[in-house]
Amino acid sequence: MTVKVGLLGLGTVGIGTAKILLDPAERHPLVKAVEIYRVGVRSLDKPRAIELPRDRLTTDLQAIVTDPNVDVVVELIGGLEPARSLILEAIRQGKHVVTANKAVIARYGDEIFTAANEAGVYVLLEAAVGGGIPVIQPLKQALGVNRIQAVTGIVNGTTNYILTRMQEEGGDFEAILADAQKLGYAEADPTADVDGLDAADKIAILASLAFGGRIKLEDVFCEGIRHVSASDIAYADRLGFVIKLLAIARRDTCPMSNEALEQLQLRVHPTLVPKHHPLASVNDVYNAILVEGDPIGQVMFFGPGAGEGPTASAVVSDILNIVGTLQSQSVAAASEPQNPLLACTHQHYCQVSPMADIVSRFYVRLLAKDQAGVIGRIGTCFGNHEVSIESVVQIDVHGETAEVVVVTHEVKESNFQAALAELREFANIQQVPSVLRVL
Amino acid sequence: MTVKVGLLGLGTVGIGTAKILLDPAERHPLVKAVEIYRVGVRSLDKPRAIELPRDRLTTDLQAIVTDPNVDVVVELIGGLEPARSLILEAIRQGKHVVTANKAVIARYGDEIFTAANEAGVYVLLEAAVGGGIPVIQPLKQALGVNRIQAVTGIVNGTTNYILTRMQEEGGDFEAILADAQKLGYAEADPTADVDGLDAADKIAILASLAFGGRIKLEDVFCEGIRHVSASDIAYADRLGFVIKLLAIARRDTCPMSNEALEQLQLRVHPTLVPKHHPLASVNDVYNAILVEGDPIGQVMFFGPGAGEGPTASAVVSDILNIVGTLQSQSVAAASEPQNPLLACTHQHYCQVSPMADIVSRFYVRLLAKDQAGVIGRIGTCFGNHEVSIESVVQIDVHGETAEVVVVTHEVKESNFQAALAELREFANIQQVPSVLRVL
């Protein structure tokens, strides 16, 4: 049985996908069962790194998703429209869909999966998170027997590259971002990466799978890395931490009983990670996703989070998953029940805790005058709001100004913010350049 | 549809498996579709950590594998017999099998998978390698679209625990092994772990999946960690390495053209791993498996390699995989074709390179008299056999004896061994206490 694929988009990932499918030797034998039947492109005449018969190419993407011969539509054009409409049309036509489009799934997953379940087709998205790293499928299948407590990821390669270089070179954000742009590791408009929006899309998708509920993207708290400075990285280093942009989805626990609640924490922010933590040594453009569950404990998936080859590997693995499922069914797919491990059937929305309720540790860097009295003042102010201090380090003195770094114990966000607001009012606190969370 | 499981064995992993199945809340909804129908135990009266109705238990394991109501047999008794016979009988009866038994699969996989393919049933074994870490399924599915170049694993928790403690405490093997035995991290008879036999079973299984061929266990070169000394670990540390017991399966490349050959390297041995390598920071009882392939690059899976909860997680995920597949088929399983991503259909044996042909780097520690001339002598002797030296470090001198550590460039094993044999004949070489391979 040959399965006919309609490929939408022949950019980097599309080229990588076609390369695998056109060169099946020494790969899983099932790769041979996949035929690139139609490829939708913007221009027919552009020179490309692969050879495809000219009559397979078309600029009419709509014709691909409605072609009765196409079994699986592979959406690799990215962005919201026309990607969303093409995916929905493919589903309506009874076609399975494979996509690498995190933005469209994070925003329209609800609509897309509802339509897919009605049509009895699969929508697979391994390439949408973590590039080539198999993490979507393990979350749906191998890890699904666990009661998941948390998914914590370094899921954006650009910011991890920038933070790693800041760590290694002691350089500042702006200079290294500019260099990363020159080297092609960051986009000309770096907003989606450095402001954490890309990571927010991805953690919304991971949380939905890990906790079996739908996620509203606006529920994800999102803070980027623009304000992380070379001196924060240096202080963190001295305190035994590295700074990483983490995307966190965690089942909230009751602070009194430590019992799991029905609410999730969902947040993306730069975080001080202890050096011995498995995520601390994930550097450069690599991604990693740490899953904690009962009874498995901690499992981590590490690998290349982007790039032609890795992302294409994930796309083709999804195609194969559909081919394998179709081959194990003796009759036409549409009349068969779905494999619940591949389908996405949850309907309800997850409850997400407001950020003000979340308990975490904080790192604060302050510039203060009159150092003799200032530490007492900080301590009192934090104490008034039940913020307990783990350590105070007065690291550098420049003339009359002392730089003071405070690390707190676990504290409720709203209490911490109230203390911070009060602190900012003190005459001898000149500036609070950094507030970061600690894992 | 409920799927009825016959559980063979109610030891640590059996208890863990039952705990998950009896407590499905907040897990994948499919867990509820699994019924523990029969449990085979050695003694009916032993007190246990879980409650099961007395009439589910039996000491007659044969009756479970032949019970027409049982859909899936879960073999958790371990060892070779009666495990092998019970698995084969279950297959003949048309039942799917889930097993955590690496020993039986590494030795009788050929017979078992041939029988399974004839009967049209699945034999799944996620728990056999890497405890809870999902690695078998990703190798069969998500990574299968890649041309795999190498699988390199820390797959034995006991030896990794011992080596980590030797690294951290500077202690010697025997003392730390004794302590590990007292703490329950090593067996009373530690042979299978410390001599690398357990790791050999596991890499044989991983290689078979990664390279799509059967493996003869006796083709795996196997060297344990008994001879790794505190001073080797200290020297390795100074040279920028940690010592790990690695299990390696690698597609051989032609030394001249670097082109992939049709032969595999299969070996287990203590190895100097550069500190920046992803496997270097995998410590204590944790396992990790690094997969390298084209086009994915490097992907690593990290997690707990043993224990009740993690191993049970893997067992139940296999059961669910079968349940999901059965639910997506509208007619009785036996008449349906198999999903080629779950089945194991390769028939041929992999060609394995003899150890003498393998190219690697070496670390050698020598005790020599008359240090003035000895380094020249070592250099000449290695040079005679085309062994090129990367570095020679003369680290300690005790009286008349100098300790010399040599690290070679890549060299063919047979050349290296010939040079070493010649070196041992020199009057001023008193001893060669350590020879280790370098990654």
Side-chain angles (χ1 to χ4, degrees):
Chain A
M1 181 175 90
T2 298
V3 171
K4 292 186 171 60
V5 161
L7 207 57
L8 308 181
L10 203 52
T12 310
V13 180
I15 294 279
T17 300
K19 278 185 188 166
I20 296 175
L21 294 175
L22 296 173
D23 176 23
E26 290 169 32
R27 309 186 192 280
H28 196 290
L30 220 47
V31 175
K32 295 198 185 78
V34 182
E35 181 190 341
I36 303 178
Y37 185 77
R38 277 283 180 281
V39 182
V41 294
R42 212 172 293 170
S43 153
L44 295 175
D45 302 312
K46 199 176 146 188
R48 297 175 208 278
I50 51 158
E51 287 198 29
L52 279 167
R54 179 64 184 254
D55 62 358
R56 307 256 182 111
L57 299 185
T58 172
T59 56
D60 184 355
L61 305 192
Q62 187 67 25
I64 294 178
V65 299
T66 55
D67 188 324
N69 290 321
V70 169
D71 303 300
V72 179
V73 167
V74 178
E75 184 275 302
L76 302 174
I77 52 178
L80 298 182
E81 283 294 354
R84 169 182 156 276
S85 302
L86 290 165
I87 289 172
L88 289 169
E89 183 60 35
I91 292 169
R92 267 192 298 273
Q93 301 279 334
K95 300 183 193 320
H96 304 288
V97 173
V98 171
T99 177
N101 193 329
K102 63 211 160 256
V104 94
I105 294 293
R107 281 163 193 77
Y108 302 110
D110 188 352
E111 185 181 16
I112 288 168
F113 287 108
T114 301
N117 293 337
E118 280 169 15
V121 298
Y122 299 114
V123 176
L124 303 189
L125 56 139
E126 186 61 73
V129 183
I133 307 170
V135 60
I136 300 285
Q137 198 189 332
L139 270 179
K140 283 160 86 169
Q141 305 200 0
L143 302 176
V145 308
N146 290 275
R147 204 167 278 153
I148 304 293
Q149 282 137 1
V151 178
T152 310
I154 294 173
V155 291
N156 181 271
T158 301
T159 48
N160 204 41
Y161 174 82
I162 292 172
L163 290 171
T164 302
R165 281 195 53 189
M166 288 175 73
Q167 176 88 28
E168 284 169 1
E169 298 166 21
D172 258 315
F173 172 77
E174 290 296 344
I176 289 174
L177 169 62
D179 200 48
Q181 287 172 315
K182 216 159 49 188
L183 294 168
Y185 290 118
E187 309 264 351
D189 175 2
T191 310
D193 293 318
V194 303
D195 292 332
L197 311 175
D198 171 80
D201 285 354
K202 291 169 177 169
I203 197 67
I205 294 171
L206 292 175
S208 172
L209 294 166
F211 299 104
R214 293 179 176 183
I215 302 287
K216 292 196 185 90
L217 190 56
E218 62 267 28
D219 284 345
V220 182
F221 172 84
C222 188
E223 181 186 307
I225 66 162
R226 286 185 199 268
H227 63 292
V228 176
S229 70
S231 68
D232 291 320
I233 288 182
Y235 288 138
D237 184 60
R238 289 200 230 173
L239 293 164
F241 297 96
V242 293
I243 299 182
K244 297 288 182 191
L245 182 68
L246 295 189
I248 301 171
R250 174 173 284 282
R251 205 185 281 276
D252 235 343
T253 49
C254 170
M256 312 299 282
S257 67
N258 220 17
E259 219 168 278
L261 299 174
E262 277 309 293
Q263 299 213 120
L264 297 185
Q265 298 179 14
L266 280 177
R267 46 201 173 101
V268 172
H269 51 67
T271 315
L272 275 73
V273 179
K275 284 181 187 170
H276 58 77
H277 190 279
L279 290 169
S281 52
V282 176
N283 288 323
D284 302 318
V285 294
Y286 280 97
N287 283 13
I289 297 104
L290 179 75
V291 180
E292 293 165 79
D294 171 49
I296 199 171
Q298 291 193 328
V299 178
M300 190 174 83
F301 303 86
F302 164 93
E308 175 187 309
T311 312
S313 163
V315 168
V316 181
S317 82
D318 276 348
I319 299 174
L320 249 54
N321 228 325
I322 292 170
V323 176
T325 302
L326 297 182
Q327 289 203 353
S328 70
Q329 297 173 329
S330 51
V331 290
S335 67
E336 295 273 331
Q338 289 195 286
N339 182 331
L341 294 176
L342 283 184
C344 190
T345 52
H346 49 253
Q347 304 284 340
H348 71 286
Y349 277 89
C350 291
Q351 285 291 320
V352 177
S353 306
M355 203 60 193
D357 290 350
I358 284 175
V359 171
S360 54
R361 290 162 71 203
F362 285 88
Y363 156 103
V364 193
R365 181 162 59 93
L366 304 151
L367 298 180
K369 232 163 66 181
D370 178 22
Q371 13 161 343
V374 77
I375 289 186
R377 211 58 201 276
I378 294 168
T380 309
C381 174
F382 276 164
N384 291 343
H385 295 274
E386 296 169 61
V387 181
S388 152
I389 292 175
E390 184 185 295
S391 57
V392 181
V393 192
Q394 198 169 312
I395 299 186
D396 281 323
V397 180
H398 318 282
E400 290 210 316
T401 301
E403 199 158 30
V404 179
V405 169
V406 180
V407 178
T408 74
H409 282 295
E410 289 205 323
V411 51
K412 208 170 132 179
E413 176 96 14
S414 55
N415 287 17
F416 175 81
Q417 296 294 353
L420 197 64
E422 194 179 312
L423 211 58
R424 285 182 203 268
E425 298 301 308
F426 288 172
N428 52 359
I429 302 290
Q430 297 173 315
Q431 218 190 316
V432 185
S434 304
V435 177
L436 294 167
R437 290 172 186 80
V438 180
L439 191 65
Chain B
M1 180 176 92
T2 298
V3 170
K4 292 186 172 61
V5 162
L7 207 59
L8 308 182
L10 203 52
T12 310
V13 180
I15 293 278
T17 300
K19 278 184 187 167
I20 296 176
L21 294 174
L22 294 173
D23 176 24
E26 291 171 31
R27 308 187 193 280
H28 196 289
L30 220 47
V31 175
K32 295 198 184 79
V34 182
E35 181 191 343
I36 303 178
Y37 184 77
R38 278 284 179 282
V39 182
V41 294
R42 213 171 293 170
S43 152
L44 295 175
D45 301 314
K46 199 178 148 188
R48 297 175 208 278
I50 51 158
E51 286 199 30
L52 279 167
R54 178 64 182 253
D55 62 358
R56 306 258 182 110
L57 300 186
T58 172
T59 57
D60 185 355
L61 305 192
Q62 187 67 26
I64 294 178
V65 299
T66 55
D67 187 324
N69 290 322
V70 168
D71 303 300
V72 179
V73 167
V74 179
E75 184 275 304
L76 302 174
I77 52 177
L80 299 181
E81 284 293 353
R84 169 182 157 275
S85 302
L86 289 165
I87 289 171
L88 289 169
E89 182 60 36
I91 291 168
R92 268 194 296 274
Q93 300 279 335
K95 301 182 192 321
H96 304 288
V97 173
V98 171
T99 177
N101 193 329
K102 62 209 160 259
V104 94
I105 294 293
R107 280 163 194 77
Y108 303 110
D110 189 353
E111 185 181 16
I112 288 169
F113 287 108
T114 301
N117 292 337
E118 280 169 15
V121 298
Y122 300 113
V123 176
L124 303 188
L125 56 139
E126 186 62 72
V129 183
I133 308 170
V135 61
I136 301 284
Q137 198 189 330
L139 270 179
K140 282 160 85 168
Q141 305 199 1
L143 301 177
V145 308
N146 289 274
R147 204 166 280 153
I148 304 293
Q149 283 137 0
V151 178
T152 309
I154 293 173
V155 290
N156 180 271
T158 301
T159 46
N160 204 42
Y161 173 82
I162 292 172
L163 290 172
T164 302
R165 280 194 54 190
M166 287 175 73
Q167 175 88 29
E168 286 169 0
E169 298 166 21
D172 259 314
F173 172 77
E174 289 297 343
I176 289 174
L177 169 62
D179 200 49
Q181 288 172 315
K182 217 159 51 189
L183 294 168
Y185 289 117
E187 309 265 351
D189 176 2
T191 309
D193 294 317
V194 302
D195 292 332
L197 310 175
D198 171 80
D201 285 355
K202 290 169 177 169
I203 197 67
I205 293 171
L206 292 175
S208 172
L209 295 166
F211 299 104
R214 293 179 177 183
I215 302 287
K216 292 196 186 89
L217 190 55
E218 61 268 28
D219 284 345
V220 183
F221 172 85
C222 188
E223 180 186 307
I225 65 163
R226 287 186 199 267
H227 63 293
V228 176
S229 69
S231 68
D232 291 321
I233 289 182
Y235 287 139
D237 184 60
R238 289 200 230 172
L239 292 164
F241 297 96
V242 293
I243 298 182
K244 296 287 183 193
L245 181 69
L246 296 189
I248 301 171
R250 173 173 286 281
R251 204 185 283 275
D252 235 344
T253 49
C254 170
M256 312 299 284
S257 67
N258 219 20
E259 219 167 279
L261 299 174
E262 277 309 294
Q263 300 213 119
L264 298 184
Q265 298 179 12
L266 280 176
R267 45 200 173 103
V268 172
H269 50 67
T271 315
L272 275 74
V273 179
K275 284 182 185 168
H276 58 78
H277 190 280
L279 289 169
S281 52
V282 176
N283 288 323
D284 301 319
V285 294
Y286 280 98
N287 283 13
I289 296 102
L290 179 74
V291 180
E292 292 166 79
D294 169 51
I296 199 170
Q298 291 192 327
V299 177
M300 191 176 80
F301 302 86
F302 164 94
E308 175 188 308
T311 312
S313 163
V315 167
V316 180
S317 82
D318 276 347
I319 299 173
L320 248 55
N321 229 323
I322 292 170
V323 176
T325 303
L326 296 182
Q327 287 203 352
S328 70
Q329 297 174 327
S330 51
V331 288
S335 67
E336 295 273 331
Q338 289 195 285
N339 182 331
L341 294 176
L342 284 184
C344 191
T345 52
H346 49 254
Q347 304 284 340
H348 71 288
Y349 277 90
C350 292
Q351 285 290 320
V352 177
S353 305
M355 203 60 194
D357 289 351
I358 284 175
V359 171
S360 52
R361 290 162 72 204
F362 284 89
Y363 156 103
V364 192
R365 182 162 57 92
L366 305 152
L367 298 180
K369 231 162 66 180
D370 179 21
Q371 9 160 350
V374 77
I375 290 185
R377 212 55 203 275
I378 294 169
T380 309
C381 175
F382 275 163
N384 291 343
H385 295 274
E386 295 169 62
V387 181
S388 152
I389 292 175
E390 184 183 297
S391 58
V392 181
V393 193
Q394 196 169 313
I395 299 187
D396 281 323
V397 179
H398 320 282
E400 291 211 316
T401 300
E403 199 158 32
V404 179
V405 169
V406 180
V407 177
T408 74
H409 282 295
E410 290 203 324
V411 51
K412 208 170 132 181
E413 176 97 14
S414 55
N415 286 17
F416 175 80
Q417 296 295 351
L420 198 63
E422 194 178 312
L423 211 57
R424 285 183 204 268
E425 297 302 307
F426 288 170
N428 52 359
I429 302 290
Q430 298 173 315
Q431 218 189 316
V432 185
S434 304
V435 176
L436 295 166
R437 290 172 186 81
V438 180
L439 192 64

